[in-house]
Amino acid sequence: MRIVLFEPEIPPNTGNIARLCAATNIPLHLIEPLGFKVDNKHLRRAGLDYWPHVDVTIHPNFDHFVDTVKPPRLVMASTKASTSHHRFAFRPDDSIVMGPETRGLPADMMERFPDGVRIPIWGEVRSLNLSTATGILLFEALRQTDLIVD
């Protein structure tokens, strides 16, 4: 299993997700362009001193990620996906792809990789914070696949 951040824009979100990846021993893949420098102080602060414990790879673009990693399945996280995360059957080799904070994943990516998942939300709220959503999806995937270590 791995987390993929497609063109992340906000340093504290990426730092929080890096910390999540360190805590769960899940690789993190960042797809450029990034909305910040990797040495950004806010990014480092959000990840605290956990960065040395994160298996992080930066890719120049999404096709580079797909061509080099060759993930068995890409799970595209989107508010527009039809399947709720608790009804989606995650697999241990999934790559959970999260879109940029301000615009989400592009429609052509969602069409190219049809395995999509959403987190149900109610009311006028359009979406959840990227790091919150990533945590929800990752822990549901870990729960379903028995990859959680007690």
Side-chain angles (χ1 to χ4, degrees), residues 16-60:
N16 287 337
I17 294 166
R19 186 175 180 178
L20 174 70
C21 289
T24 55
N25 198 32
I26 296 294
L28 174 62
H29 294 262
L30 303 177
I31 310 300
E32 293 181 318
L34 308 178
F36 48 83
K37 294 180 182 176
V38 179
D39 62 350
N40 182 295
K41 70 176 181 175
H42 299 296
L43 180 69
R44 285 193 318 267
R45 185 174 71 197
L48 298 173
D49 56 349
Y50 299 109
W51 279 105
H53 307 287
V54 181
D55 177 4
V56 64
T57 305
I58 300 173
H59 301 273

Side-chain angles (χ1 to χ4, degrees), residues 5-9 31-36 59-61 103:
L5 301 184
F6 176 76
E7 300 180 1
E9 301 165 327
I31 310 300
E32 293 181 318
L34 308 178
F36 48 83
H59 301 273
N61 56 56
R103 59 189 190 279

Side-chain angles (χ1 to χ4, degrees), residues 4-10 13 33 77 97-106 109 127 130:
V4 181
L5 301 184
F6 176 76
E7 300 180 1
E9 301 165 327
I10 301 173
N13 284 337
V97 183
M98 309 298 291
E101 291 91 337
T102 61
R103 59 189 190 279
L105 292 170
M109 283 178 67
S127 64
L130 181 67

